[in-house]
Amino acid sequence: MPPKRGKKPPPKRVYERLPENSCWIENDAYDRRVYNYLRSESPSLRELEDAGTTFLPHFGSLLQDIFSLLFKYNVIFNKASDVLASALLNEKFLNGIRHGSQYDFLREQTLLREARAGLSTLLLGERLLALMKTEKLLTRRDLRDLWDIQKQEEIVSEKLEEYENADTIPEENLSAEGKKALQKAKERLGGEVQGAEALLRHKTTQLKEDLKDTEAQTTNRLQAEAIKVAQELEDATEEAEAWGSTLGTAQRSPPGQKLELGKRLAGNEKLKKLARMVGRMKFHAMALRKKVFERSSEEVLEVERGDSVQRLLPHEMIALHHPILRKDFHRRFLHQELLQYSLRGVEEKGKGPMIVCLDGSSSMAGDKEIWSKAVTLTLLEIARRQRRLFRSICFSSEQTPLQILDLNPREHYEIKTKNVMDLAEYFPGGGTDFQKPLDAALECLQQSRFKKGDIVFITDGECQVSPEWAEQFRHQKEKLGFSLFS
């Protein structure tokens, strides 16, 4: 038999390394690793870096410096002689951020906290970019001068490389004329290097003089933006924790995922209101499920997988006597993979996958939208606890494409936070059509992994459907054996 092929490891994300001589704040290998990990895991941070680089040279290095300014315990600035002149403006921005009481308040929230420092870097970077686009920090002339300085640095680097290459040519194999020609070439290259360096110094000095007039104004604007970011950060952190408890995601999220979640929550009033309503609904729903209802007698039907200790097969208990098998027992218990008896009784239905069709028409705007999505996310939490697959289908008019999301698609039914946020923010508006979402739900139920699922249909209105379609839907309902709750 051919050997089994193992799963291929996920492809590593490749990101361009930032030049070290463009950073103003000293950073070690750990600082760079933490920030580069955030860069690789956060699409928003990479998009900001790409957008900012079109305006300002070394904008990516500026973002890393802002991160270091907020994250590092000891912040030490490099000497000006060790940093490229084209990164001159980055120092002005960093000094503007760190001067004032708002920096201490912001730093209290971000010190040695990579996710919070990354989110602050993202929010500050976006505000800096917006100010540059509106020319409230720099004029077009200042930006053009910075790009000219960077171009001059490249010229100096090329001249130095040519001069150093000329020094490596061995003279013992050259004739007298060849030696003279080589010496003249070295003198010419040396003169070109000195001229290029002198021009670079002149342009740098001129830019420093031009920036002195606007330095105080720049500092005031940056301090005001830092205050706003500190407020947004505090709100976003609280809301992220609220969403974490709302969605039942008790596991530790990667910093990059926390950064993306915080960015979407910062300043979004609709999501804040939705989180509060979901919290209340979930509390009442969980309390209701804990009530003891009168049940009829049940009988053993078949063997299934689960974590119900009172219904385990006898041989599963034997594993507890063996030190190694006991660990495997605990693992399978946590993953609900132990063999147990399946009982047939009253609650045969309502234990399969859930498909929720959510009305996103214009009439649902406002409190109805918040309420309907709170119901959807409460059902998602119940599905997660009961290890049931959950798919949402958001619909409106016939011409509007459906938003179809699997909210807990993974092996252990973990909730996919990004998909939940996409559902919470999406609202198409428009008219109402029932046939399109119900056809998509039927398609879903015909898949093997959604077998024995049910449909929950959330809407505030009515819709005309053709008699032929209604008859076909009833036929499929009887054939597949699902229930439709609305």
Side-chain angles (χ1 to χ4, degrees), residues 215-481:
E215 189 169 357
Q217 183 182 1
T218 300
T219 300
N220 292 334
R221 287 189 180 277
L222 291 174
Q223 288 178 359
E225 297 300 332
I227 291 174
K228 295 176 184 177
V229 168
Q231 294 170 346
E232 285 188 11
L233 177 65
E234 191 172 18
D235 293 342
T237 302
E238 292 177 359
E239 294 302 322
E241 292 174 356
W243 272 98
S245 59
T246 293
L247 301 177
T249 52
Q251 71 273 10
R252 179 179 172 83
S253 302
Q257 182 177 324
K258 287 183 180 179
L259 191 155
E260 290 297 314
L261 177 60
K263 179 181 182 297
R264 300 182 75 162
L265 290 172
N268 195 320
E269 293 299 325
K270 183 173 82 171
L271 294 183
K272 294 177 183 178
K273 189 174 180 181
L274 179 57
R276 289 192 293 269
M277 184 171 287
V278 174
R280 291 195 296 270
M281 277 194 181
K282 189 178 80 168
F283 175 79
H284 292 300
M286 294 299 109
L288 183 64
R289 292 196 62 82
K290 289 179 181 178
K291 291 184 178 180
V292 179
F293 294 95
E294 185 178 348
R295 301 170 183 264
S296 62
S297 59
E298 297 174 323
E299 61 179 353
V300 175
L301 175 64
E302 59 186 2
V303 175
E304 62 178 4
R305 293 184 178 186
D307 62 350
S308 182
V309 178
Q310 65 271 23
R311 292 192 279 118
L312 290 181
L313 269 61
H315 78 270
E316 291 283 15
M317 305 300 293
I318 298 175
L320 292 174
H321 293 281
H322 194 281
I324 296 179
L325 294 180
R326 188 187 303 121
K327 294 180 180 179
D328 181 63
F329 178 92
H330 293 157
R331 179 189 63 80
R332 291 189 293 127
F333 175 76
L334 291 174
H335 294 166
Q336 294 184 332
E337 294 179 351
L338 295 173
L339 296 178
Q340 63 185 30
Y341 293 113
S342 172
L343 301 181
R344 178 170 58 184
V346 178
E347 290 192 330
E348 277 191 21
K349 297 243 177 195
K351 290 294 185 182
M354 285 191 201
I355 302 168
V356 175
C357 297
L358 183 61
D359 189 351
S361 61
S362 298
S363 61
M364 292 286 290
D367 290 340
K368 291 180 182 179
E369 180 200 359
I370 299 296
W371 182 88
S372 62
K373 289 179 178 177
V375 171
T376 302
L377 296 181
T378 302
L379 292 174
L380 171 62
E381 173 61 13
I382 293 173
R384 182 192 70 84
R385 288 171 179 255
Q386 296 179 349
R387 303 180 72 78
R388 302 160 65 178
L389 288 174
F390 192 99
R391 173 174 287 187
S392 71
I393 302 175
C394 188
F395 66 93
S396 58
S397 61
E398 184 180 0
Q399 296 77 21
T400 305
L402 300 173
Q403 185 205 46
I404 301 177
L405 297 171
D406 288 327
L407 301 183
N408 60 345
R410 299 181 182 177
E411 182 182 353
H412 303 308
Y413 303 92
E414 296 174 359
I415 292 176
K416 203 166 186 178
T417 307
K418 180 184 179 301
N419 287 359
V420 171
M421 302 304 296
D422 289 341
L423 170 66
E425 292 180 328
Y426 181 71
F427 187 74
T432 307
D433 174 64
F434 287 177
Q435 293 185 197
K436 192 173 180 179
L438 287 173
D439 285 339
L442 281 176
E443 251 182 68
C444 177
L445 290 172
Q446 290 168 356
Q447 301 175 21
S448 59
R449 64 195 183 106
F450 284 95
K451 189 178 179 182
K452 297 182 180 179
D454 294 310
I455 301 174
V456 179
F457 201 85
I458 304 176
T459 183
D460 69 332
E462 298 179 351
C463 174
Q464 290 290 335
V465 297
S466 65
E468 297 81 10
W469 180 89
E471 184 61 32
Q472 180 66 19
F473 183 82
R474 293 191 193 97
H475 173 71
Q476 289 293 331
K477 186 170 178 289
E478 293 176 3
K479 179 181 176 182
L480 297 173

Side-chain angles (χ1 to χ4, degrees), residues 187-198:
E187 291 174 358
R188 178 178 57 82
L189 289 173
E192 290 179 358
V193 169
Q194 291 177 0
E197 288 178 340

Side-chain angles (χ1 to χ4, degrees), residues 10-270:
K12 292 184 178 180
R13 293 180 173 86
V14 180
Y15 47 85
E16 185 180 354
R17 187 173 180 179
L18 299 173
E20 294 182 7
N21 57 350
S22 62
C23 290
W24 281 93
I25 298 178
E26 289 185 3
N27 53 70
D28 54 25
Y30 174 75
D31 302 325
R32 291 190 292 273
R33 182 174 64 83
V34 170
Y35 181 71
N36 285 329
Y37 179 73
L38 286 176
R39 285 176 74 203
S40 65
E41 293 294 322
S42 172
S44 299
L45 198 56
R46 295 197 301 273
E47 289 171 8
L48 173 63
E49 184 178 324
D50 293 339
T53 304
T54 61
F55 283 85
L56 184 71
H58 310 299
F59 188 82
S61 299
L62 173 61
L63 293 179
Q64 180 168 330
D65 277 337
I66 294 175
F67 176 80
S68 299
L69 192 67
L70 301 172
F71 176 75
K72 286 175 63 66
Y73 192 83
N74 291 320
V75 177
I76 302 174
F77 274 70
N78 290 317
K79 296 179 181 178
S81 57
D82 297 332
V83 184
L84 292 172
S86 52
L88 171 67
L89 192 62
N90 293 5
E91 184 192 20
K92 306 294 182 185
F93 287 157
L94 294 171
N95 287 332
I97 294 171
R98 68 172 179 155
H99 289 154
S101 58
Q102 83 289 335
Y103 172 62
D104 295 330
F105 176 67
L106 187 57
R107 188 168 161 80
E108 284 178 4
Q109 302 181 66
T110 59
L111 183 62
L112 300 180
R113 298 179 180 181
E114 48 200 75
R116 292 190 180 190
L119 177 58
S120 299
T121 301
L122 180 60
L123 296 176
L124 272 171
E126 288 178 340
R127 292 180 178 276
L128 276 171
L129 182 58
L131 290 173
M132 284 192 291
K133 286 180 178 179
T134 55
E135 299 186 29
K136 291 182 178 179
L137 288 181
L138 294 171
T139 63
R140 293 186 182 181
R141 177 186 170 185
D142 293 332
L143 289 174
R144 187 173 63 248
D145 289 344
L146 278 171
W147 286 108
D148 287 344
I149 289 174
Q150 188 193 39
K151 182 64 178 176
Q152 190 63 30
E153 286 172 344
E154 293 174 358
I155 293 173
V156 171
S157 178
E158 290 174 3
K159 298 294 183 185
L160 277 173
E161 187 177 357
E162 290 178 8
Y163 183 78
E164 291 170 357
N165 290 337
D167 274 342
T168 60
I169 299 175
E171 296 185 9
E172 56 271 12
N173 298 329
L174 297 176
S175 63
E177 293 181 358
K179 290 180 180 180
K180 288 181 181 181
L182 179 60
Q183 187 62 32
K184 287 183 180 180
K186 286 182 180 179
E187 291 174 358
R188 178 178 57 82
L189 289 173
E192 290 179 358
V193 169
Q194 291 177 0
E197 288 178 340
L199 182 58
L200 176 60
R201 286 193 298 270
H202 172 72
K203 288 187 175 185
T204 304
T205 304
Q206 186 63 45
L207 181 60
K208 286 181 180 179
E209 293 295 329
D210 294 341
L211 292 177
K212 277 183 180 180
D213 300 333
T214 60
E215 189 169 357
Q217 183 182 1
T218 300
T219 300
N220 292 334
R221 287 189 180 277
L222 291 174
Q223 288 178 359
E225 297 300 332
I227 291 174
K228 295 176 184 177
V229 168
Q231 294 170 346
E232 285 188 11
L233 177 65
E234 191 172 18
D235 293 342
T237 302
E238 292 177 359
E239 294 302 322
E241 292 174 356
W243 272 98
S245 59
T246 293
L247 301 177
T249 52
Q251 71 273 10
R252 179 179 172 83
S253 302
Q257 182 177 324
K258 287 183 180 179
L259 191 155
E260 290 297 314
L261 177 60
K263 179 181 182 297
R264 300 182 75 162
L265 290 172
N268 195 320
E269 293 299 325
K270 183 173 82 171

